[in-house]
Amino acid sequence: MKKIVALLMLVTALFAAPAFAADPIVGSWKLNVAKSKFGSGQELKASTRIYSEADGVYTLDQKLTGADGKEISYSVKYSDGKDMKQASGGPVDSTHAKKVDANTWDFDLKKDGKVVGHVHRVVSADGKTLTVHNTGMMLSGVTGDQTLVFDKQ
């Protein structure tokens, strides 16, 4: 009987563990310039992203270094299924986030209530690669189409 109870507890623990696993996006990411695809005039020399989460609200702190060496930093907050206000004065004033599955999110970037850009973000199954496809207006203020590939740090 003890063996059966122990076995049931082990099986329960194994199946419950993924439910309590941290979101794979949380942590630090570094841009892999060679694997990324930039539109004309959107090239980056470097970029880092740091994602954190508290009580269902995620924060992205990002630093971008353009081909000209100029740095841009910004922070974005988002939560599944909600419009979240962003820093005023930028090209985007709110973001609507939708969690598609454990590794995939879609974002509508809005200005004055109108969608001006879209982001599709996927973390690979092994959790080592982040792919971000941006179209329209981007948080950096650039308009276009780009695919950024990041490596987990």
Side-chain angles (χ1 to χ4, degrees), residues 111-125:
K111 181 71 172 183
D112 299 325
K114 179 182 173 191
V115 175
V116 295
H118 183 76
V119 177
H120 180 73
R121 187 189 78 202
V122 180
V123 176
S124 62

Side-chain angles (χ1 to χ4, degrees), residues 69-80:
K70 193 174 183 182
E71 286 188 358
I72 299 171
S73 296
Y74 59 86
S75 183
V76 177
K77 293 194 179 298
Y78 63 94
S79 186
D80 186 25

Side-chain angles (χ1 to χ4, degrees), residues 80-102:
D80 186 25
K82 298 180 181 174
D83 277 8
M84 304 260 324
K85 295 281 185 200
Q86 304 304 326
S88 60
V92 173
D93 57 22
S94 68
T95 303
H96 182 85
K98 180 175 181 356
K99 187 173 187 172
V100 176
D101 60 38

Side-chain angles (χ1 to χ4, degrees), residues 5-144:
V5 171
L7 181 61
L8 285 173
M9 289 177 62
L10 178 63
V11 169
T12 302
L14 289 174
F15 283 105
F20 298 107
D23 190 307
I25 195 65
V26 173
S28 299
W29 300 86
K30 183 177 177 183
L31 181 67
N32 186 324
V33 176
K35 291 183 180 179
S36 297
K37 294 179 180 139
F38 306 98
S40 179
Q42 300 173 3
E43 297 83 3
L44 296 174
K45 284 174 45 173
S47 179
T48 56
R49 287 179 170 221
I50 300 172
Y51 289 91
S52 58
E53 184 272 334
D55 297 324
V57 176
Y58 292 82
T59 302
L60 160 62
D61 291 307
Q62 181 164 335
K63 183 189 289 186
L64 307 164
T65 304
D68 59 1
K70 193 174 183 182
E71 286 188 358
I72 299 171
S73 296
Y74 59 86
S75 183
V76 177
K77 293 194 179 298
Y78 63 94
S79 186
D80 186 25
K82 298 180 181 174
D83 277 8
M84 304 260 324
K85 295 281 185 200
Q86 304 304 326
S88 60
V92 173
D93 57 22
S94 68
T95 303
H96 182 85
K98 180 175 181 356
K99 187 173 187 172
V100 176
D101 60 38
N103 291 18
T104 309
W105 286 71
D106 282 322
F107 302 87
D108 285 329
L109 308 180
K110 298 179 179 183
K111 181 71 172 183
D112 299 325
K114 179 182 173 191
V115 175
V116 295
H118 183 76
V119 177
H120 180 73
R121 187 189 78 202
V122 180
V123 176
S124 62
D126 66 5
K128 294 180 181 180
T129 305
L130 167 63
T131 304
V132 180
H133 184 217
N134 299 302
T135 54
M137 180 65 67
M138 295 167 214
L139 292 170
S140 62
V142 176
T143 301

